[in-house]
Amino acid sequence: MPRSARATSLTRRGLLAAGGAVGLGAALAACGGGDDKGSGKPADGGGKGGTWSFTDDRGTKVKLDQTPKNIVAFTGTAAALKDFGVEVKGVFGPTTVKDAKTGAMTADVQAGDLDIDKVKVIGNVWGEFKIEEYLKLDPDVLVTDMWEKDALWYVPEEQKDKILKIAPSVALWAAGKSMPFVLQRHADLAASLGADVNGERIKSDKARFEAAAERVRKAAKAKKGVKVLIGSGSPDTFYVSAPARPTDTLFFQELGVDLVVPDKLDPSGWFELLSWENVDKYQADVILLDNRTSALQPEALKAKPTWAALPAVKAGQVFPRVTEPVYSYAKCAPLLEDLAKALENAKKVA
């Protein structure tokens, strides 16, 4: 579960959302969108002119007079679309981070291969969405993830009504569905926007992903009994993720990986919160640690004596977890390859 929800142990809806912008006036014109269910394919066969439609994972069918050109998207979704061959004009969500040594702004891990100097960043942290800047982009459509039904990821709740009057929205599941399903839906959207998702590059990326998945399956079978914990660290709390909802851990389980299942979930149902004194509640041979810039990384965790005492930590069996994957075959294949390698080399230490 993304860390921004952790402040209250509730769902992601509206947490730390920013206040509404002023002075929008008549620019907030309503745009269309219905609730029809459809195939998610473009009405014009892939952006060659004419009308465009796409049915998203809410079951909402978005219709426009032409294929969207001015696309604004959540950073991770934008990075996935780029890998499939679709460029966006603006992004919101973790995009840039200041380099601790040089002070220069570099790409956040969630930005993938986005050119952060070319896309307009209208929000870089949770709760930040600059509506005036969004208007200047003249958006045709807004695209984002969905971690809870009908909740638009990184669209502040307090501003949502204003934002959705500017352009229609498309939401794709980032939870509750296994990774192959989510990847296919991103490919469907990219195809509707004119990308050639059947080209040789995408075919190659998909073949690599499928080979990596099979490698994980074989490694999990060979290392049966090796327990893997999905965790994330903050200054006061360690979060043990439940594997039933994230797309990656759902897929890991399908591939046979033996994941720790916490038994006392917080009200959101995403994780169990442990104090650092109780961080050893679950014995694990391997730890996959949240790699996002909002989470404490291994270097910072060295200061936690109870962390350093964990068997997986002492054995050097802590590996980064891409908690919010970029949903393209190009980005998810290495994720599986790294997991397979970790399992292949893992020893039973707990």
Side-chain angles (χ1 to χ4, degrees), residues 11-343:
T11 67
R12 297 165 174 75
R13 302 170 191 267
L15 290 171
L16 305 180
V22 296
L24 302 184
L28 295 172
C31 293
D35 295 319
D36 307 56
K37 295 187 181 295
S39 65
K41 300 298 182 182
D44 60 359
K48 297 178 181 179
T51 60
W52 176 87
S53 69
F54 183 83
T55 302
D56 73 2
D57 290 346
R58 296 170 296 183
T60 297
K61 187 172 186 177
V62 180
K63 299 179 180 179
L64 295 173
D65 291 339
Q66 60 183 1
T67 302
K69 299 300 181 187
N70 294 345
I71 302 166
V72 177
F74 169 66
T75 303
T77 314
L81 289 174
K82 180 176 178 61
D83 285 349
F84 281 115
V86 176
E87 299 286 347
V88 305
K89 196 169 183 180
V91 296
F92 55 95
T95 308
T96 62
V97 61
K98 183 178 288 188
D99 186 282
K101 295 181 179 179
T102 67
M105 297 306 290
T106 59
D108 187 276
V109 65
Q110 294 186 59
D113 292 333
L114 289 176
D115 187 336
I116 60 173
D117 294 322
K118 289 186 178 180
V119 294
K120 178 67 177 179
V121 181
I122 63 171
N124 197 45
V125 296
W126 181 261
E128 181 181 52
F129 193 109
K130 301 172 184 176
I131 298 185
E132 290 89 347
E133 297 300 318
Y134 181 52
L135 278 166
K136 291 176 184 177
L137 294 174
D138 191 22
D140 296 319
V141 67
L142 178 148
V143 185
T144 190
D145 287 348
M146 185 168 61
W147 291 78
E148 302 280 358
K149 180 64 175 174
D150 298 328
L152 303 182
W153 189 228
Y154 267 81
V155 175
E157 190 71 19
E158 285 82 354
Q159 293 175 287
K160 184 177 71 174
D161 290 344
K162 294 178 180 179
I163 292 167
L164 297 184
K165 287 180 180 179
I166 298 170
S169 63
V170 168
L172 297 179
W173 275 119
K177 303 287 185 180
S178 186
M179 184 173 279
F181 173 91
V182 176
L183 285 165
Q184 183 59 56
R185 291 296 289 143
H186 283 72
D188 290 344
L189 177 59
S192 81
L193 295 168
D196 179 12
V197 299
N198 295 313
E200 289 305 313
R201 180 176 60 83
I202 305 300
K203 284 183 178 179
S204 177
D205 291 340
K206 186 174 183 180
R208 180 183 174 188
F209 172 82
E210 291 171 344
E214 186 57 29
R215 182 180 169 189
V216 171
R217 190 189 305 277
K218 290 179 179 178
K221 186 176 181 179
K223 294 299 177 77
K224 196 172 181 65
V226 169
K227 206 76 174 176
V228 179
L229 182 146
I230 310 295
S232 182
S234 72
D236 300 318
T237 310
F238 187 71
Y239 300 85
V240 180
S241 293
R245 298 180 73 182
T247 66
D248 60 337
T249 54
L250 268 173
F251 193 40
F252 298 166
Q253 284 189 314
E254 292 171 4
L255 295 172
V257 180
D258 189 359
L259 298 180
V260 169
V261 179
D263 56 26
K264 192 176 180 181
L265 300 181
D266 84 314
S268 75
W270 285 86
F271 45 72
E272 180 173 353
L273 294 79
L274 299 178
S275 67
W276 282 106
E277 290 77 12
N278 296 314
V279 73
D280 60 351
K281 177 178 178 179
Y282 299 104
Q283 294 298 301
D285 305 293
V286 172
I287 296 175
L288 299 184
L289 190 69
D290 188 348
N291 77 329
R292 290 171 298 178
T293 53
S294 57
L296 294 183
Q297 299 306 304
E299 189 63 30
L301 290 172
K302 287 180 179 179
K304 305 284 187 184
T306 51
W307 167 261
L310 293 176
V313 177
K314 291 194 291 185
Q317 295 185 164
V318 178
F319 306 96
R321 176 205 176 200
V322 182
T323 305
E324 292 188 55
V326 172
Y327 287 111
S328 69
Y329 296 111
K331 294 297 184 294
C332 289
L335 181 158
L336 293 178
E337 291 166 350
D338 290 344
L339 175 60
K341 183 178 180 180
L343 290 173

